[in-house]
Amino acid sequence: MLSDADVDNKIPTQGLRYADASDSEYYILLTKDKKPICRTRCLNPPEHLPHHWNVNDIVPTSKIILDGMSHCFLSPAPECSRDHNEWRRFLIYLQGRDMVAIAKFKFWEFYILPPDQTSNFTNIRVAYKMEKTRNASNGRGHGESGRSCQVVRPTATKANINDSPTLPVNIVKETVSRGNACIQAGPLEKNFVRADPSYLQTLGQAHSGWIFGAIAELVDNSRDAKATKLEISIESIYFKKAGKDIPMLSIIDDGHGMTHQDVVRMTYFGHKQPDADDPNRIGRFGVGFKTGAMRLGKDALVLTQTADSRSIAFLSQSLNQGKDNLEIPIVSYYRKGQFMELDTVVQSEATAKYNLKSIKEFSPFNKYLIGEKAGLFQDKCTGTQIYIWNLDQWGSNYCLEWDNGLNGGSSFHQGDILIRSRRIRSRPGQISQKVPLDYSLRSYLEVIFLVPRMKIYVQGSLVRSRPLAKSLNKTCVETGIIMGKSAHLTLGRCQLEWEQMNCGIFLYWHGRLIEAYKRVGGMIHNGDTGRGVIGVIDVSDLMDEGNGLVWVHNNKQGFLDCEPYARLEEWLGKVADEYWDNKFDSLNVVKDGALYKPDQEWVQCNKCRKWRMLDPGFDTKSLPVEWFCYMKPFEGLCDLPEQKVDAGVVTVSAKRTGYDSRENSLPFEGIATIKVEDMSSDSIGLSRMAEDSSPLKRIRRGLPRACKKV
């Protein structure tokens, strides 16, 4: 075996060509099971040498016949101390067991030989042979004379591309025949994207304007996983590497969990979008977990379990700091009842141990904490747990602040997660500074879903969902046709929004809130116009282009600038202005001006998650925090279907003419229905809303529309 001294003295061996000052440095990434060992430099590279060697096998030296092979030498070129340590561990393993590491390609086989006992691991001998060659014309082999020269094409097969999915690979380097001379052509290269670790920080900027959008991405994933329960909380945990307690955000659901393949797919930076729009699924672009987690903190760990598997994934900026390519450790286990073991079908034992070691080194999760969190799944339980730490900061403090509320499950002061700045999102025409949805996670989650089914807990307290369409007064349902598609808008007045001087339209897509308090029509130009009026609409069909394309931002906090959205805005403005003009003067208020109750009161069963309509006059304050169908006043079974609004409605007009000069350009057709309700005897109809008061006096008044009772 050749020693380091032999290399320094350049003792020749068969087929050896030593590098000198004229040779350019040739770097090779050496990996095992696609996990990096160390970057190396080849001292005497042969032509057409691959840039990436993945060790496919390690066998005893006695099984390898090296006669007739050429040799080259590798020296370490570590980029960090980890590379240096892994290089030494790798060679000590070969040396101690007298083993040879083999890296195979379509045209090459490389045999990394064990260093001798006196080696300092700086120069390692590698035997190699060329497996296949292909001639340009008449089949002359390598070294044969003739006018045609050999063409060597190590083409990119599926195997060697997967060996290095993120590094540039030289695909073709060939010589061609011109007359009697052989001219070597330049290399033809295919470049594969390298993901620099700094890209994780870039991903988080998708939600730079509003951090709750990042939490919403993770809530969406839980809903898509058919979870019935979701817990969101921030608590302190000791991190040995930091030497102190740190806050950690946890998001835990009881959905169907993810297999190893699902977890790997989750770590992809986007995936092919579906050809059809699935209205029952929110996730679509393949970036939600990455953008959400990296906006909330620098490091995230995912622990997920299905009926027959458990996986751990680690997306970390701390782990990848100083590296030139992104590493995402994943460890998967096979599960059979109470029995659990490493799944060696999807990973080798060495890979799993290496990944688990990285997770323990760069996270608060040692084997005890991992076991504790895995215990939350309980027997036969599936689900996903996401833990995020090194949370985003606001100056010297954290961007988020959290409050656990009062002990004992009090409904008076419940726990919440708040945005520290308490800033109100900018909206045209808005004058109110009381928009809790903008800075309170509890308030946002109350209305995040059009039809809430999943039980959501924030800091241990249940979020009382507030289905907006069911909590309005003087409810009106408008139906219009926009670009050949129907749109259904529910309008009404909300007492809470009146008190907070808010108004606008809530736009949902696939049942998930995309835009809130969107002012349209006269609301844009006058802060008092439409005060307290709230609209609710699901635009899933309208925002579907029909070929799998949807007009929704990938952060799901807005819509793209497109014709359907522009037409929708104009139609919403017309309908909202008409509703305001028709209803503003005829609102009935209680004497000494207090409360407008919703047309119907609703309560949600804590078991079946169906909404039940309460009897008129029922005191909702008497309901317990956790209400079930068998309780008063419903006293029924969960199997009964969800109730609908009664048919006692008034049909109003059939055609909207609009209020501006463009009224004929967009002929919106619509039907409006108003719920009939009995007015209480202690209320008075202020049909003119203080006509003598000039600030409230109407500028434009027309005759009431003819109404026909159904």
Side-chain angles (χ1 to χ4, degrees):
M1 182 175 295
L2 202 65
S3 67
D4 297 334
D6 294 331
V7 176
D8 294 336
N9 295 326
K10 293 189 176 181
I11 297 176
T13 60
Q14 181 180 1
L16 182 64
R17 179 178 63 84
Y18 288 99
D20 54 31
S22 63
D23 290 323
S24 61
E25 291 184 332
Y26 198 96
Y27 290 97
I28 297 168
L29 178 63
L30 184 63
T31 64
K32 172 70 170 71
D33 297 323
K34 302 181 184 179
K35 300 299 179 182
I37 297 175
C38 183
R39 190 181 68 155
T40 64
R41 182 172 55 250
C42 189
L43 301 183
N44 51 324
E47 293 182 344
H48 322 305
L49 188 66
H51 287 276
H52 174 211
W53 295 5
N54 184 63
V55 175
N56 309 104
D57 199 5
I58 297 179
V59 300
T61 304
S62 58
K63 294 186 177 182
I64 301 298
I65 300 176
L66 303 178
D67 295 342
M69 290 192 189
S70 301
H71 296 81
C72 61
F73 289 87
L74 293 182
S75 65
E79 297 180 305
C80 58
S81 59
R82 178 215 160 272
D83 284 5
H84 179 75
N85 293 335
E86 290 298 320
W87 171 256
R88 291 189 62 85
R89 288 178 58 192
F90 172 67
L91 294 179
I92 289 173
Y93 180 86
L94 297 182
Q95 184 185 68
R97 293 166 175 79
D98 195 23
M99 306 286 276
V100 176
I102 305 174
K104 291 185 178 182
F105 299 88
K106 184 175 182 180
F107 294 97
W108 298 91
E109 284 189 9
F110 296 95
Y111 300 88
I112 303 175
L113 306 179
D116 60 22
Q117 297 300 323
T118 62
S119 173
N120 59 6
F121 304 147
T122 56
N123 294 290
I124 302 302
R125 188 166 62 135
V126 179
Y128 66 89
K129 62 181 179 179
M130 185 179 294
E131 287 269 306
K132 300 177 183 179
T133 59
R134 187 165 59 189
N135 297 329
S137 56
N138 57 7
R140 290 184 173 91
H142 181 64
E144 294 183 16
S145 61
R147 297 179 58 184
S148 297
C149 297
Q150 177 196 19
V151 179
V152 180
R153 299 176 184 265
T155 55
T157 64
K158 181 178 180 180
N160 58 37
I161 287 179
N162 289 338
D163 282 346
S164 182
T166 58
L167 295 176
V169 180
N170 288 340
I171 301 300
V172 178
K173 196 171 186 179
E174 63 179 34
T175 56
V176 297
S177 174
R178 291 185 182 175
N180 294 325
C182 288
I183 302 174
Q184 179 171 300
L188 173 63
E189 297 184 353
K190 286 187 178 180
N191 295 314
F192 297 92
V193 174
R194 168 186 290 175
D196 190 274
S198 63
Y199 187 59
L200 294 180
Q201 187 176 3
T202 303
L203 285 172
Q205 295 176 1
H207 298 284
S208 59
W210 194 49
I211 196 170
F212 283 168
I215 296 180
E217 295 278 15
L218 307 181
V219 174
D220 293 343
N221 291 343
S222 295
R223 187 194 159 198
D224 286 346
K226 309 301 180 185
T228 61
K229 182 180 179 181
L230 175 66
E231 298 177 272
I232 305 174
S233 62
I234 299 178
E235 56 186 12
S236 294
I237 191 168
Y238 181 75
F239 188 12
K240 184 178 180 180
K241 195 176 184 69
K244 62 180 181 179
D245 287 345
I246 61 170
M248 184 166 67
L249 171 67
S250 63
I251 300 174
I252 304 172
D253 69 49
D254 63 350
H256 52 56
M258 292 181 285
T259 64
H260 174 83
Q261 290 74 21
D262 294 332
V263 173
V264 171
R265 189 169 184 264
M266 179 191 70
T267 63
Y268 291 168
F269 294 112
H271 53 67
K272 181 181 178 181
Q273 295 188 25
D275 296 329
D277 189 28
D278 183 358
N280 297 316
R281 184 174 180 83
I282 302 173
R284 181 178 186 86
F285 304 101
V287 295
F289 166 71
K290 279 80 66 179
T291 59
M294 292 298 99
R295 173 64 176 92
L296 293 164
K298 292 183 178 180
D299 305 285
L301 182 136
V302 179
L303 179 61
T304 184
Q305 180 168 295
T306 67
D308 53 11
S309 70
R310 178 184 295 170
S311 296
I312 306 172
F314 187 33
L315 184 66
S316 171
Q317 296 182 39
S318 300
L319 168 66
N320 288 283
Q321 188 173 4
K323 297 182 179 180
D324 63 353
N325 206 3
L326 189 61
E327 179 181 353
I328 305 178
I330 301 174
V331 182
S332 293
Y333 300 86
Y334 169 73
R335 178 171 177 254
K336 183 75 171 178
Q338 299 291 335
F339 178 75
M340 189 89 64
E341 68 175 0
L342 280 174
D343 188 350
T344 55
V345 174
V346 297
Q347 70 202 332
S348 69
E349 185 174 350
T351 299
K353 289 182 177 179
Y354 168 79
N355 289 340
L356 197 57
K357 179 183 176 182
S358 298
I359 292 172
K360 292 176 180 178
E361 181 180 356
F362 289 93
S363 79
F365 287 82
N366 54 29
K367 63 180 180 180
Y368 302 106
L369 185 56
I370 292 175
E372 176 187 330
K373 298 304 182 182
L376 298 177
F377 289 123
Q378 302 177 353
D379 295 339
K380 299 181 180 179
C381 183
T382 63
T384 299
Q385 304 174 26
I386 299 175
Y387 299 95
I388 302 172
W389 61 98
N390 285 329
L391 299 180
D392 188 61
Q393 292 192 304
W394 175 267
S396 60
N397 216 318
Y398 294 104
C399 182
L400 297 175
E401 63 178 81
W402 49 97
D403 182 3
N404 292 329
L406 298 179
N407 294 328
S410 171
S411 60
F412 175 73
H413 180 57
Q414 297 179 317
D416 201 357
I417 297 176
L418 306 165
I419 297 178
R420 187 173 298 276
S421 67
R422 304 293 201 283
R423 294 173 64 187
I424 304 301
R425 302 177 74 184
S426 176
R427 299 178 181 90
Q430 179 170 298
I431 61 174
S432 171
Q433 293 301 306
K434 294 182 180 179
V435 191
L437 179 150
D438 285 349
Y439 54 81
S440 165
L441 182 61
R442 179 173 293 274
S443 298
Y444 175 48
L445 295 178
E446 286 178 354
V447 297
I448 189 172
F449 295 124
L450 183 62
V451 182
R453 301 294 186 194
M454 185 167 56
K455 287 188 287 187
I456 304 178
Y457 293 80
V458 173
Q459 295 299 107
S461 299
L462 179 65
V463 174
R464 299 295 295 269
S465 299
R466 186 161 62 98
L468 289 174
K470 297 179 183 291
S471 60
L472 301 176
N473 175 266
K474 292 295 181 184
T475 305
C476 169
V477 179
E478 285 279 350
T479 300
I481 304 299
I482 303 175
M483 299 185 66
K485 297 180 179 180
S486 62
H488 304 276
L489 171 67
T490 302
L491 280 168
R493 185 183 183 281
C494 178
Q495 177 68 28
L496 177 63
E497 305 300 350
W498 170 273
E499 294 170 356
Q500 296 177 345
M501 300 180 65
N502 291 322
C503 65
I505 311 298
F506 283 64
L507 290 89
Y508 290 81
W509 174 78
H510 289 195
R512 207 279 234 159
L513 180 63
I514 304 297
E515 286 191 51
Y517 298 112
K518 179 176 180 60
R519 289 174 172 254
V520 294
M523 301 177 188
I524 299 176
H525 309 293
N526 188 330
D528 286 328
T529 300
R531 177 179 171 179
V533 174
I534 294 296
V536 181
I537 184 172
D538 191 299
V539 296
S540 300
D541 187 47
L542 185 60
M543 292 296 113
D544 178 14
E545 183 68 4
N547 55 359
L549 176 67
V550 295
W551 301 108
V552 181
H553 282 301
N554 58 18
N555 65 5
K556 303 185 193 76
Q557 294 300 317
F559 297 96
L560 301 177
D561 185 15
C562 59
E563 184 180 5
Y565 188 61
R567 295 293 187 100
L568 174 66
E569 282 184 315
E570 189 160 0
W571 180 77
L572 291 174
K574 290 176 180 289
V575 173
D577 285 347
E578 184 175 342
Y579 176 84
W580 180 252
D581 287 342
N582 288 340
K583 298 307 231 179
F584 183 79
D585 282 350
S586 59
L587 289 176
N588 291 273
V589 297
V590 178
K591 191 182 294 185
D592 293 328
L595 303 174
Y596 297 89
K597 285 190 174 183
D599 293 335
Q600 298 90 24
E601 293 279 8
W602 300 77
V603 63
Q604 188 177 30
C605 175
N606 202 49
K607 180 181 179 182
C608 67
R609 309 303 292 169
K610 294 177 182 176
W611 289 88
R612 305 303 188 184
M613 188 187 303
L614 299 178
D615 297 333
F618 188 86
D619 184 10
T620 57
K621 295 181 180 179
S622 65
L623 294 172
V625 175
E626 293 190 354
W627 183 89
F628 299 90
C629 290
Y630 66 82
M631 295 180 175
K632 292 183 179 180
F634 185 69
E635 296 181 317
L637 300 176
C638 288
D639 294 338
L640 295 176
E642 202 167 58
Q643 293 148 291
K644 304 295 182 182
V645 178
D646 293 339
V649 296
V650 174
T651 303
V652 181
S653 161
K655 188 173 183 179
R656 301 303 185 196
T657 57
Y659 292 92
D660 56 22
S661 59
R662 294 174 297 173
E663 61 182 354
N664 295 324
S665 62
L666 295 173
F668 298 112
E669 299 291 337
I671 301 295
T673 62
I674 303 176
K675 180 75 176 69
V676 175
E677 60 178 319
D678 296 325
M679 306 311 299
S680 58
S681 59
D682 61 344
S683 64
I684 56 175
L686 300 181
S687 61
R688 294 294 178 241
M689 285 297 288
E691 221 174 84
D692 295 335
S693 177
S694 57
L696 294 177
K697 188 173 181 179
R698 289 190 48 153
I699 299 175
R700 176 174 63 251
R701 179 184 300 110
L703 294 175
R705 294 181 180 271
C707 297
K708 176 183 177 182
K709 187 171 182 180
V710 178

